[in-house]
Amino acid sequence: MTDAPEGYVDELEANRDEKDQFFDEHPQSPIPPEERDDFDGLDYFDPAPEYRVAATVSTVDPPEPVEMETSDGRTVRYLRVVTFAFDLDGEAYELAGYRQPDDDSGGVFVPFRDKTTGQQTYPGGRYMELEPDGDLADGDEVTLDFNLAYNPFCAFSETFSCPLPPEENWLETTVAAGEKEY
C-alpha cells in the first residue's frame, strides 16, 4: 500500500461527481439518451486507500503483441509493454500493461478482472490507465490505484466495442475498489 496524499478522498469523490455529471448531461455520454432521465450517478465502492498499491515495473522489450477479444466478438491488437508486480492483502500479484501499436502517448492501459467481476462489477472486467511522467524502466515504482478502476463504455451500451482483459490479467483476489456494475 502507498500512503494516500492529503485530500485524496475529497479529490476522488470530486472526480466521481464530475464523471457523474458528464454521464448525465454530455452528448458523448455512454448512457443511452432514453436512460439519462433515470440516471442518478454511478455506483462505487467506498474510497479505500489500501487499494493504492506500489507496483514495480518490468518492461517488455521488444513489446509483445497480444490479441484481445472484444465485447462484440472481434479481436483487437495491443502490445504488452510492461508488467506491474505488487502486493495486495499480503499476496503477490502481477498485471500486464498495454498500448495500441500506433499509440505513442506514453499512457499504459491496464484491463483486469477480479473476484468481483460479474458479481459486484461489470462482467467484462474493468480498466485502469496510467499516465507516467516519462518512459518506464525496469525497477521503477508506480502507484496502481484500484479506486480509479472504471467500467468500459460497453458496460453502458451495446453500441460500444471494448477489449476484454486477457487471462493474464485475471486476479485471483477481490478488489473492492473503483466502479461497481452499472
Side-chain angles (χ1 to χ4, degrees), residues 19 22-23 28-30 127 150-158 160 162:
K19 184 172 185 175
F22 174 87
F23 275 38
Q28 293 180 331
S29 167
Y127 297 169
Y150 66 94
N151 294 319
F153 277 10
C154 55
F156 306 98
S157 170
E158 292 179 4
F160 296 96
C162 306

Side-chain angles (χ1 to χ4, degrees), residues 17-31 36-37 39:
D17 289 344
E18 188 177 313
K19 184 172 185 175
D20 284 347
Q21 184 176 355
F22 174 87
F23 275 38
D24 188 34
E25 300 171 359
H26 200 279
Q28 293 180 331
S29 167
I31 306 287
R36 290 189 198 154
D37 284 345
F39 178 75

Side-chain angles (χ1 to χ4, degrees), residues 69-143:
E69 293 189 25
T70 63
S71 56
D72 64 359
R74 296 178 307 113
T75 59
V76 62
R77 180 178 293 249
Y78 277 81
L79 297 174
R80 182 184 309 106
V81 293
V82 295
T83 301
F84 300 106
F86 59 95
D87 289 339
L88 196 58
D89 295 328
E91 298 288 326
Y93 296 98
E94 287 189 349
L95 283 174
Y98 309 91
R99 287 193 184 118
Q100 290 191 300
D102 56 354
D103 181 3
D104 58 1
S105 70
V108 180
F109 174 56
V110 185
F112 72 97
R113 294 174 56 117
D114 67 283
K115 289 188 175 184
T116 69
T117 302
Q119 308 294 317
Q120 296 166 285
T121 62
Y122 175 62
R126 294 181 288 162
Y127 297 169
M128 289 188 297
E129 294 184 32
L130 277 73
E131 299 292 335
D133 292 335
D135 291 337
L136 293 173
D138 285 338
D140 283 354
E141 191 170 284
V142 298
T143 299

